[in-house]
Amino acid sequence: MPNMDPKKCPMPSQDPNVRNKNFKEVALGYTAEMAVTEAQRCLQCKNHPCRSGCPVDIDIPGFIAQVAKGEFEAAYQIIAQSSALPAVCGRVCPQENQCEGKCIRGIKNEPVGIGRLERFVADWHRENVHSAPAKPTPNGHKVAVIGAGPSGLTAAGDLAKMGYKVTIYEALHVAGGVLMYGIPEFRLPKDIVQNEVEGLKELGVDIECNMVIGKVLTIDELLGEYGFEAVYIASGAGLPRFMGIPGESLKGVYSANEYLTRVNLMKAYLPGSHTPIQKSHAVAVVGGGNVAMDAARCAKRLGAETVYIVYRRGMAELPARKEEVEHAEEEGIIFKTLTNPVEVLGDEQGCVKGMTCVEMELGEPDASGRRRPIVKEGSEFELDVDTMIMALGTSPNPLIRSTTPGLDADKHGCIITNGPDGLTSRPFVYAGGDAVTGAATVILAMGAGKEAAKAIDAAIKAKNA
Amino acid sequence: MFKIVQKRELNPTVTEMVIEAPLIAKKAKAGQFIIVRAKEDSERIPLTIAGYDREAGTVSIIFQIVGAGTMELNTLPEGGCVHDFVGPLGKATEIEGLKNVCVVGGGVGCAIALPIAQALHAQGSRVTGIIGFRDKNLLILEDEFRACCDELIVMTDDGSYGRKGVVTLPLEEKIKEGANFDEVITIGPLIMMKFVVKTTKPYNVKTVVSMNPIMVDGTGMCGGCRLTVGGQTKFACVDGPDFDGFEVDFDEAMHRGTMYKEFEGHARDEACNLFKQEVQ
């Protein structure tokens, strides 16, 4: 008999007023008993709609059935067939819009906590199983992957399992991409990311850091003298967007990328770190996505007394995951929605001392389907802040498209692909993730990596047939 | 890990390191930069390439010891290794077609001006070099400049070597004398470049400046290196580091450059004290 509890087994987590002063993980994870109890809420329904909501097509009812029986390693093996990064996805996927959003239990009550179960299984495996995965038999073909973020790691993992010799070229000094520089420690501990990266190395994937493709080597060199038969470009998001309002160059205005990179990748949150970061009292984060939530919660943890999220639409329109918004609210982040900055104000030293904002109201839906924010006349007011963090999205990195002849990009600079398989305008050159879509989610980037791996395998097989 | 094949002190605060990095050496061009990390947890320091040897597979960097990061880098010995070395980043200085160029370097900026002067010389351009230093003790690379400049003018602020005064003095004289430069290329402290531009603008001599703002990743991700050029936001790491000097907002760049001055000073003092202890 399934467990008919209408609610998910709650996730143990750090108290908001404790965690907003430290960088330790917020959600602590299920115990084995909690996992089994939650897994028993799954009805094992016939149509398993959850699976259709998963961009990497994990056999969700299959792994949950194993968890319900207490067979955690068997559950892990089922997930591992589809996902290269289960410990990551269990933490950062927007499950409410994906698997859990489709769960039958969710129609009347809360859906099964699929994300929490995935995380539990991945963590259990990491803590209890120490045998290296079996190395696949080499098939004699070489593929290069550009970028060691979620998309590149996924494609590399899948190709390695098929027997390809994969080399990942990473621009930064460490593999992981946004999982290392962007998502903070308290949401995704970095040793978990590195553990997943180690898992790929055990499969035989080579990772070369400090390699900026387009500069030190070109795509043509990789396909030519380096002997790779295909290349997958997963170079990720690029340059941060700014608003184009006066005062954005004042000291104390950061892009979220810079702020988060200083905090996460360069470890400014650790005492005695060599990485400088502004010591803020009042911070405004402009934007309403997950990146904005991450930046706001980091600023709070670094000691800012007041942290605002400034967003031009309403609470209902925030693009961030609901859970992230709730966590931010619990931690004392103040949401100034229907508010838009029009100028950053500086003092004589050129430092931020405040910002002028206007109030907004929502009009008719725009092309994106969201209601368009309109400025309320005469609503200008000033907000006292000493730091501003712009979390407005990014435009793709220009380094590869500008050095690869024949690689088509759209007017925003996103690489154009043929469709879901990721084939670009160049034969044997594939692309996926943020480099194609612009800033999106970890799991969509992983899904693109998976599709590209399949397409690359098919193309190389066809060529050699 | 990248081996330091050679290390020499150019003056008490400026060090040259020759790093084994064959892939970068193969691609490097004058005006581009690299990012170096001394050790596993060190900061990422952007440094413009001071030279390269494609056959030997080496890239040289010249840095001034200004903060905790460069101080740490300077502790590494010849034969040792830097942990990370990535590049070549940024766009190369455009020198094609230039026939008569004045290269103006100030202080440690001369380290970056040198490969540009050498590249110009190699393509047969006439090169006038003007290099300036605070005093004789800080003079670097004079012989190297002499070898690639048709004319070299050395300036010191206090007159302890060469001619006394700032670099803009001979620059304006040359322009007035009818030197007829196609272009002036200048690299040095922001305040110097600002005044070079002020000098050349009335004569409408195209002036290229090499900017070196605060950077984190250096690959077009963080946006920390943004500058206002011609009223638009530009990123030094991918759009530069060279820009049209007439268009750069120097005052803003100078403000932004002081963002972490307090932190840097503090970190340097801390590091200095540590080193003092080690010496004792």
Side-chain angles (χ1 to χ4, degrees):
Chain A
M1 242 328 260
N3 165 6
M4 293 311 289
D5 192 328
K7 285 189 179 290
K8 284 183 196 175
C9 174
M11 179 66 125
S13 58
Q14 279 196 72
D15 181 80
N17 275 315
V18 174
R19 72 182 192 233
N20 67 10
K21 295 169 194 71
N22 71 50
F23 274 83
K24 292 190 203 126
E25 197 169 13
V26 167
L28 303 170
Y30 278 168
T31 61
E33 294 73 34
M34 291 173 184
V36 171
T37 308
E38 182 62 23
Q40 286 168 348
R41 291 185 66 233
C42 174
L43 302 177
Q44 293 291 326
C45 61
K46 253 195 189 139
N47 295 329
H48 42 74
C50 51
R51 210 170 158 170
S52 69
C54 177
V56 297
D57 192 31
I58 292 173
D59 177 4
I60 293 166
F63 97 77
I64 291 181
Q66 295 298 332
V67 177
K69 286 194 279 181
E71 298 288 342
F72 304 138
E73 178 58 16
Y76 179 82
Q77 291 306 329
I78 292 173
I79 298 175
Q81 283 168 17
S82 309
S83 173
L85 312 166
V88 173
C89 292
R91 287 172 167 81
V92 304
C93 268
Q95 289 104 4
E96 62 276 16
N97 303 328
Q98 298 175 356
C99 51
E100 294 182 21
K102 308 246 172 177
C103 176
I104 292 227
R105 293 290 312 257
I107 298 172
K108 285 191 176 154
N109 299 303
E110 285 189 0
V112 176
I114 300 169
R116 294 171 182 184
L117 290 173
E118 182 185 24
R119 168 183 164 155
F120 167 78
V121 169
D123 288 355
W124 188 91
H125 172 83
R126 187 175 66 253
E127 282 153 21
N128 294 287
V129 180
H130 302 289
S131 58
K135 266 202 187 171
T137 320
N139 68 7
H141 300 287
K142 280 169 66 179
V143 177
V145 171
I146 299 164
S151 199
L153 293 174
T154 301
D158 280 13
L159 287 162
K161 284 179 201 158
M162 296 174 203
Y164 289 92
K165 181 69 205 160
V166 182
T167 303
I168 307 181
Y169 293 101
E170 165 59 42
L172 292 175
H173 54 259
V174 62
V178 73
L179 309 174
M180 291 302 289
Y181 74 73
I183 301 177
E185 179 78 14
F186 57 82
R187 210 148 74 75
L188 179 64
K190 300 308 150 217
D191 58 352
I192 289 177
V193 179
Q194 288 313 306
N195 193 277
E196 308 259 31
V197 169
E198 286 308 313
L200 282 184
K201 288 187 187 163
E202 283 171 2
L203 280 176
V205 174
D206 286 332
I207 302 182
E208 288 200 28
C209 290
N210 294 320
M211 293 291 282
V212 180
I213 301 302
K215 287 292 181 186
V216 70
L217 292 174
T218 61
I219 302 275
D220 287 293
E221 284 171 308
L222 294 175
L223 289 170
E225 58 186 285
Y226 280 76
F228 292 103
E229 289 175 67
V231 176
Y232 179 56
I233 304 170
S235 51
L239 292 163
R241 293 212 181 99
F242 290 89
M243 297 187 75
I245 59 175
E248 277 185 310
S249 293
L250 290 164
K251 286 184 275 183
V253 181
Y254 287 93
S255 73
N257 270 7
E258 181 184 356
Y259 195 77
L260 291 171
T261 301
R262 285 179 182 275
V263 175
N264 301 322
L265 180 74
M266 303 310 290
K267 301 179 184 162
Y269 72 91
L270 295 175
S273 164
H274 288 313
T275 306
I277 192 137
Q278 173 125 333
K279 282 207 173 15
S280 311
H281 298 286
V283 180
V285 180
V286 184
N290 289 323
V291 173
M293 301 304 138
D294 285 344
R297 296 170 72 193
C298 283
K300 188 81 186 174
R301 282 164 171 75
L302 288 173
E305 291 105 46
T306 315
V307 181
Y308 300 104
I309 289 276
V310 176
Y311 180 58
R312 61 195 184 129
R313 292 182 161 99
M315 285 302 283
E317 285 78 21
L318 283 168
R321 287 186 65 193
K322 196 165 151 260
E323 184 182 286
E324 302 308 324
V325 175
E326 285 169 5
H327 278 157
E329 282 185 303
E330 286 167 12
E331 289 168 15
I333 310 294
I334 302 163
F335 283 74
K336 284 223 159 282
T337 51
L338 293 169
T339 302
N340 206 29
V342 289
E343 184 176 0
V344 193
L345 307 168
D347 62 15
E348 338 37 274
Q349 275 83 45
C351 299
V352 174
K353 66 163 191 187
M355 58 193 236
T356 309
C357 299
V358 287
E359 289 177 23
M360 311 293 282
E361 53 197 355
L362 293 180
E364 295 299 306
D366 62 13
S368 72
R370 292 182 301 177
R371 295 176 65 193
R372 202 164 60 89
I374 304 164
V375 178
K376 265 195 210 170
E377 285 304 318
S379 63
E380 276 193 17
F381 69 98
E382 273 181 29
L383 203 58
D384 276 343
V385 291
D386 55 23
T387 306
M388 251 179 107
I389 302 170
M390 300 295 193
L392 306 161
T394 58
S395 46
N397 194 306
L399 294 184
I400 288 177
R401 67 167 192 271
S402 63
T403 54
T404 310
L407 185 70
D408 292 346
D410 68 14
K411 64 176 180 350
H412 303 293
C414 298
I415 298 170
I416 297 173
T417 58
N418 191 23
D421 71 354
L423 182 64
T424 67
S425 52
R426 290 271 313 255
F428 297 101
V429 178
Y430 294 75
D434 284 4
V436 169
T437 57
T441 62
V442 167
I443 189 72
L444 283 175
M446 289 178 60
K450 234 183 152 49
E451 291 298 320
K454 267 191 249 169
I456 288 169
D457 177 51
I460 290 177
K461 280 195 177 129
K463 184 186 77 173
N464 294 299
Chain B
M1 302 290 264
F2 298 79
K3 195 174 169 197
I4 303 163
V5 292
Q6 207 190 328
K7 179 182 175 183
R8 70 179 173 135
E9 189 181 89
L10 298 185
N11 75 34
T13 64
V14 177
T15 301
E16 178 182 36
M17 281 183 180
V18 180
I19 310 283
E20 194 172 86
L23 289 177
I24 302 174
K26 208 172 143 193
K27 291 288 173 73
K29 284 188 177 152
Q32 289 186 297
F33 68 96
I34 54 88
I35 288 210
V36 61
R37 286 208 320 157
K39 297 178 186 167
E40 195 181 346
D41 277 316
S42 307
E43 60 179 307
R44 295 171 66 91
I45 306 172
L47 292 170
T48 308
I49 293 168
Y52 48 84
D53 184 332
R54 298 204 205 285
E55 269 164 37
T58 57
V59 173
S60 44
I61 50 174
I62 294 178
F63 57 94
Q64 187 159 28
I65 302 151
V66 285
T70 40
M71 197 171 276
E72 186 184 35
L73 182 59
N74 198 44
T75 61
L76 301 179
E78 186 169 298
C81 285
V82 294
H83 197 273
D84 300 285
F85 198 71
V86 54
L89 300 166
K91 291 183 178 162
T93 302
E94 286 172 22
I95 56 167
E96 215 184 296
L98 297 177
K99 299 212 160 46
N100 180 16
V101 182
C102 183
V103 177
V104 184
V108 73
C110 293
I112 308 153
L114 178 65
I116 296 170
Q118 287 169 334
L120 285 162
H121 179 71
Q123 71 171 18
S125 315
R126 181 185 156 79
V127 182
T128 305
I130 303 175
I131 54 176
F133 303 90
R134 217 164 52 227
D135 59 47
K136 191 184 172 190
N137 292 327
L138 298 179
L139 175 74
I140 55 170
L141 304 171
E142 187 192 2
D143 294 342
E144 287 85 345
F145 269 103
R146 239 174 245 298
C148 64
C149 290
D150 297 270
E151 184 183 3
L152 180 72
I153 303 163
V154 183
M155 305 293 291
T156 51
D157 291 355
D158 63 355
S160 54
Y161 189 80
R163 205 176 140 186
K164 182 177 172 165
V166 290
V167 291
T168 47
L169 201 74
L171 175 63
E172 180 150 28
E173 284 169 9
K174 288 275 156 204
I175 295 172
K176 276 188 176 159
E177 283 166 18
N180 212 6
F181 298 126
D182 301 335
E183 196 169 302
V184 172
I185 300 176
T186 181
I187 304 111
L190 285 170
I191 187 77
M192 182 200 91
M193 295 196 284
K194 178 180 167 173
F195 278 95
V196 167
V197 168
K198 249 189 164 160
T199 307
T200 55
K201 204 167 180 178
Y203 303 96
N204 202 24
V205 182
K206 186 181 174 191
T207 303
V208 170
V209 298
S210 176
M211 303 299 282
N212 188 15
I214 293 170
M215 280 183 193
V216 187
D217 66 297
T219 64
M221 192 266 283
C222 83
C225 66
R226 65 189 185 276
L227 304 159
T228 305
V229 181
Q232 297 207 317
T233 298
K234 294 278 177 189
F235 299 99
C237 70
V238 292
D239 299 321
D242 288 0
F243 292 99
D244 178 347
F246 294 171
E247 302 286 335
V248 171
D249 185 338
F250 283 103
D251 294 337
E252 178 191 289
M254 281 189 265
H255 262 305
R256 285 184 62 78
T258 62
M259 173 126 189
Y260 298 111
K261 218 169 179 180
E262 212 175 298
F263 185 99
E264 275 294 326
H266 183 68
R268 185 180 54 218
D269 290 349
E270 248 175 32
C272 283
N273 288 334
L274 279 177
F275 295 133
K276 270 182 222 149
Q277 281 167 9
E278 279 165 20
V279 173
Q280 280 161 5

